[in-house]
Amino acid sequence: MPPRLAPRSTPLRALASALCALLLGCPRPPAPSEPSAPTPALSPSADAPEPACAVVPAPRECRVHPGTVTLAGAPEVRLVPGWASERYELDTREPRPRIRAGARAGVFRAETTLAQLAPAGVAPRRVIEDEPAFAWRGLLVDVARHFFTVTELEQLVDRMALLKLDVLHLHLSDDQGFRLELDGHPELARRGAFRLEAGRSVGGSYSKGELAALVAYAEARFVEIVPEIDLPGHTRAILASHPELSCTGGPFEVPSTWGIFDDVLCAGNPATLGLVGEVLGEVAGRFPSPYLHVGGDEVPATRWSACPKCREAMRAAGLRSPSELQGVFTAQVTERVRARGKIPVAWDEVLEAGAPAGTVVMVWRAGDAAERALRAGHDVVLVPNDHAYLDAKQSGRADEPGSDRVVSWADVAAFAPEAARRAEGARGRVLGGQAALWTEHVGSLADADTLLFPRLLAVAEALWSAPRPPREDLEHRTRALLPLLDARHVGYFVAPPELPERRVFLESTTLEIPRAPLYGGRVDVALDDGAFTPFAAPLVLSASTRVRAVRVLPSGRRSGVAEGRVVREPLGPARPRPLGGPGVLYDYVEGEFARVPVLRQREPNVSGSLRTFSLPPARRREHYALRERAIFVAPMNGVYTFTVTSDDGAVLRVDDRIVVDNDGHHAPRPRAGEVALAKGAHDVELGFFQGGGGDALAVAVRSPDGAIRDLGELCFLPR
């Protein structure tokens, strides 16, 4: 594969001037192409553990020397022949730091590290040796659903540079918008850049000059912009000006709703490839990156099935089904991309019909797509939706921005791109990965910041640092850098304290509110309608109580208010039940769901029995639901804790009461609930749905004596 294009170099004098201005307050003349190293971090809160090297992402090696040094003067810089371009060494043992690097990019990475390391121009004495684990360390920003101005994108580039991310993947077209003003086809933006929402026109587009300025701004910060024109699906904004390139002839409006639309580009119309080739040709000339993304995701074949032109194209190519047309279309499109001297990139759906050789596969779905792509010789970029889709909420609260899915800090911190390297073949390589910010539920740059931070720090560490320190170490370093985000006016998300939605007890109970290493600060708590006071010791409760809690950081930034109930209740009575053998009954229903459905009145596709509450072996990959039920035999009186781990939603009922609500689209996550039960038999029912991506389901129960078992061990078939 040809090397990625290096950004335009920045003079060392400009780099020294930037560092001097930022760390020491030296005068700094305006220079549009001059990169700005990050603002130095402020001192972390007093109760935070002091990391040896408070830098994110973690450097490869950080040698500690005692004491600190007050910086004086710009760094002494030397380029080392033979070093990789981003490799650097930073030495802060003397007042004038020393930087050795393989190229200008390495100098800039070293300056970024120095700015994080040196609060107010005072640096710990360290020798840092560093270089990235992966070359592609990216962030996808969807400007098609929500339009960001060039100024806002420049601010996002600055945030990326702070974390040593180096690829901005711009999703420039989708059903809801086409954002490029093209010389050859001005009608695409004129008709496709705006849509009606609540009676008003929203949207925008980028002129040639604006894009050139953005590219230059990003290059000066060693961030490469990879454009995406999504094809042949997600193209309603294109069809708004070219309805003749659909299978039905239109007309079409740019939609203001989300989802997957049946109307896509007609794969059997020769004029489609004519327009596509001209558009991609002009896009290729606008962006110096060697890569050009052509989409390829979520393409329904509904219209192709009934289209005479598509059916004729199928016959000519000897295809058996309309879905195979996407493989032919992808091959034709990537051929045009390569003719422009670019490397095509496409989403992992293109593997289904055989991705053309030389195509970089961007893997977003769970399963074996990355392994299949690598073994077929494709280079791969990892964007796992359950670890790196940062449009999802972080805690599932109604007052935070984001989609209905939940991808927590822990989910993102578990992103392990290095694991995919085990499947690398003779030709296919893992280039790296990226986070994705889809913007259906993003209304502003402030929303974007809240969704990206602090989770983007965990993505940056996964892609840069090797070996990676433990998650707890990342949390402490992130906590130390929160003042830096405050200083840069980045509105990061603050998770509320962890409270049980419903804690059950018989006589009295003790409630602890754990501290969060990621945030520090204090927790304020209020009981029932009382005032908030600092939480200092576990709460001893003997009556049903509403508990509220809020996290307050040293900067004054506050989380939302968490609320839970601690409930004193009697034992739920057991009832005589005729028991069959061990096991669980299930009904399996195929369909698309957004929440756990009520399946009691629906005819199942399949019914049967399982050993425990789990996924049946015969199921399709996506879009189905389950109803599972059994008789749970409680071995003793007391409070039982049920934990449901699911991907996607699950709801557990005991004696027809909801005990665990883990509903909605989300990555694998546990949710727990408690109920007081008398010894004996109780009805248990679990509802589950799988909406897309991976699937997972497991249920555990903790008895009053502390024993934890798989729920199936205590369950029997109804008879």
Side-chain angles (χ1 to χ4, degrees):
M1 185 192 76
R4 297 175 57 217
L5 299 182
R8 290 199 297 266
S9 63
T10 304
L12 294 179
R13 182 179 300 172
L15 287 169
S17 172
L19 185 64
C20 184
L22 287 162
L23 296 183
L24 304 177
C26 306
R28 178 180 176 184
S33 63
E34 177 186 328
S36 57
T39 304
L42 307 178
S43 299
S45 59
D47 61 345
E50 187 67 35
C53 201
V55 176
V56 179
R60 186 159 295 203
E61 183 176 349
C62 181
R63 296 195 293 274
V64 176
H65 296 265
T68 60
V69 60
T70 300
L71 301 180
E76 174 189 317
V77 175
R78 180 163 67 90
L79 299 183
V80 182
W83 279 20
S85 64
E86 292 188 286
R87 180 181 173 185
Y88 70 87
E89 180 184 274
L90 173 65
D91 187 339
T92 63
R93 290 177 293 179
E94 303 295 334
R96 187 181 183 190
R98 291 194 293 271
I99 294 174
R100 296 195 303 158
R104 304 292 188 265
V107 175
F108 189 69
R109 303 301 180 216
E111 288 208 323
T112 300
T113 298
L114 181 58
Q116 289 192 16
L117 195 64
V122 178
R125 299 177 71 244
R126 301 288 186 266
V127 177
I128 293 173
E129 295 183 19
D130 204 7
E131 61 182 314
F134 294 95
W136 188 305
R137 307 181 304 279
L139 170 65
L140 178 150
V141 178
D142 170 17
V143 296
R145 274 59 172 264
H146 175 86
F147 180 73
F148 289 90
T149 66
V150 168
T151 299
E152 290 172 325
L153 290 176
E154 288 173 349
Q155 291 177 279
L156 288 172
V157 167
D158 286 337
R159 287 146 169 73
M160 294 175 62
L162 172 69
L163 302 178
K164 300 183 176 72
L165 298 174
D166 66 344
V167 176
L168 173 58
H169 173 179
L170 276 186
H171 187 76
L172 290 162
S173 73
D174 211 291
D175 292 303
Q176 293 78 18
F178 188 92
R179 301 303 182 200
L180 290 175
E181 297 174 14
L182 300 178
D183 293 338
H185 289 280
E187 75 283 356
L188 287 171
R190 188 168 57 241
R191 184 70 179 83
F194 294 88
R195 62 181 184 263
L196 284 176
E197 287 187 1
R200 65 188 185 95
S201 179
V202 299
S205 59
Y206 305 112
S207 69
K208 182 187 292 187
E210 286 176 322
L211 281 180
L214 177 62
V215 167
Y217 189 94
E219 282 185 332
R221 288 146 183 83
F222 298 92
V223 173
E224 176 182 314
I225 299 180
V226 174
E228 178 185 357
I229 304 297
D230 207 345
L231 304 166
H234 290 291
T235 50
R236 281 280 296 272
I238 294 176
L239 294 176
S241 59
H242 287 276
E244 75 281 1
L245 299 184
S246 71
C247 292
T248 64
F252 301 102
E253 298 293 330
V254 180
S256 59
T257 55
W258 322 121
I260 301 173
F261 295 91
D262 286 339
D263 289 296
V264 300
L265 293 178
C266 178
N269 187 344
T272 297
L273 285 171
L275 176 73
V276 166
E278 292 166 5
V279 168
L280 294 178
E282 195 166 342
V283 172
R286 298 277 182 92
F287 296 90
S289 169
Y291 299 102
L292 202 166
H293 201 304
V294 295
D297 62 310
E298 298 177 329
V299 184
T302 307
R303 297 288 188 252
W304 293 349
S305 299
C307 173
K309 292 178 182 178
C310 290
R311 296 186 69 82
E312 174 57 27
M314 288 173 51
R315 188 197 62 77
L319 305 180
R320 294 171 296 177
S321 69
S323 60
E324 295 178 5
L325 268 179
Q326 186 176 354
V328 175
F329 183 87
T330 301
Q332 294 168 330
V333 169
T334 55
E335 180 183 352
R336 284 157 175 76
V337 171
R338 284 190 291 271
R340 294 287 179 171
K342 301 291 186 178
I343 302 167
V345 185
W347 295 105
D348 63 49
E349 284 93 332
V350 298
L351 293 170
E352 306 304 324
T359 302
V360 174
V361 177
M362 194 165 273
V363 176
W364 70 278
R365 297 181 297 175
D368 63 349
E371 181 177 352
R372 288 189 290 123
L374 290 166
R375 300 220 181 276
H378 297 285
D379 289 343
V380 164
V381 175
L382 301 168
V383 202
N385 71 85
D386 52 354
H387 295 295
Y389 270 34
L390 303 189
D391 60 300
K393 291 179 184 291
Q394 301 190 58
S395 70
R397 294 173 53 86
D399 59 356
E400 61 179 294
S403 69
D404 288 339
R405 298 177 65 246
V406 174
V407 176
S408 68
W409 163 265
D411 294 328
V412 179
F415 180 27
E418 66 276 5
R421 282 183 157 162
R422 290 195 291 267
E424 286 185 329
R427 293 176 295 148
R429 294 173 299 162
V430 179
L431 300 182
Q434 63 185 36
L437 181 66
W438 303 103
T439 58
E440 292 95 332
H441 305 282
V442 175
S444 64
L445 181 62
D447 284 349
D449 275 346
T450 303
L451 287 164
L452 291 174
F453 292 94
R455 294 183 295 184
L456 193 60
L457 280 74
V459 174
E461 177 133 320
L463 296 169
W464 177 280
S465 303
R468 289 169 63 186
R471 191 181 100 186
E472 293 76 12
D473 185 74
L474 169 62
E475 291 177 347
H476 293 322
R477 285 180 286 109
T478 297
R479 177 177 175 179
L481 291 180
L482 291 182
L484 183 151
L485 299 183
D486 289 322
R488 296 173 69 91
H489 308 291
V490 177
Y492 54 88
F493 177 74
V494 179
E498 293 184 15
L499 285 178
E501 291 186 14
R502 189 174 185 271
R503 167 73 65 81
V504 175
F505 66 97
L506 298 176
E507 298 297 334
S508 65
T509 189
T510 300
L511 179 64
E512 176 67 270
I513 303 177
R515 287 181 171 269
L518 179 62
Y519 294 106
R522 73 174 193 272
V523 171
D524 290 349
V525 64
L527 302 182
D528 292 324
D529 295 324
F532 281 95
T533 58
F535 175 79
L539 303 172
V540 178
L541 303 173
S542 57
S544 295
T545 306
R546 180 168 65 102
V547 181
R548 293 172 292 149
V550 61
R551 193 180 312 282
V552 184
L553 303 194
S555 66
R557 193 184 295 271
R558 302 167 68 90
S559 73
V561 177
E563 184 169 327
R565 291 196 62 83
V566 183
V567 180
R568 182 175 181 175
E569 66 178 29
L571 297 171
R575 298 180 180 88
R577 300 285 197 279
L579 301 181
V584 174
L585 297 177
Y586 78 91
D587 294 329
Y588 167 88
V589 175
E590 295 180 347
E592 295 194 18
F593 307 96
R595 310 289 294 181
V596 172
V598 176
L599 298 182
R600 297 180 185 182
Q601 306 302 320
R602 297 186 59 163
E603 185 68 26
N605 295 86
V606 179
S607 295
S609 63
L610 299 166
R611 183 188 61 82
T612 187
F613 288 89
S614 60
L615 301 175
R619 64 186 189 277
R620 64 184 186 182
R621 178 183 295 180
E622 298 178 333
H623 306 305
Y624 65 87
L626 296 169
R627 177 190 177 216
E628 300 186 348
R629 58 198 188 280
I631 296 174
F632 167 68
V633 178
M636 64 193 71
N637 292 336
V639 175
Y640 288 80
T641 303
F642 295 85
T643 300
V644 178
T645 301
S646 66
D647 174 5
D648 288 295
V651 174
L652 181 74
R653 289 177 168 83
V654 178
D655 292 332
D656 212 28
R657 295 172 54 192
I658 294 179
V659 174
V660 180
D661 188 342
N662 200 10
D663 209 350
H665 288 280
H666 52 77
R669 71 178 185 192
R671 284 288 186 271
E674 297 179 335
V675 62
L677 299 175
K679 178 180 179 180
H682 301 268
D683 293 327
V684 177
E685 181 174 313
L686 178 73
F688 169 84
F689 84 93
Q690 159 58 10
D695 57 2
L697 180 63
V699 186
V701 59
R702 178 175 178 170
S703 301
D705 61 0
I708 300 175
R709 303 177 177 88
D710 182 281
L711 179 57
E713 295 181 24
L714 298 174
C715 284
F716 297 84
L717 298 171
R719 193 177 61 188

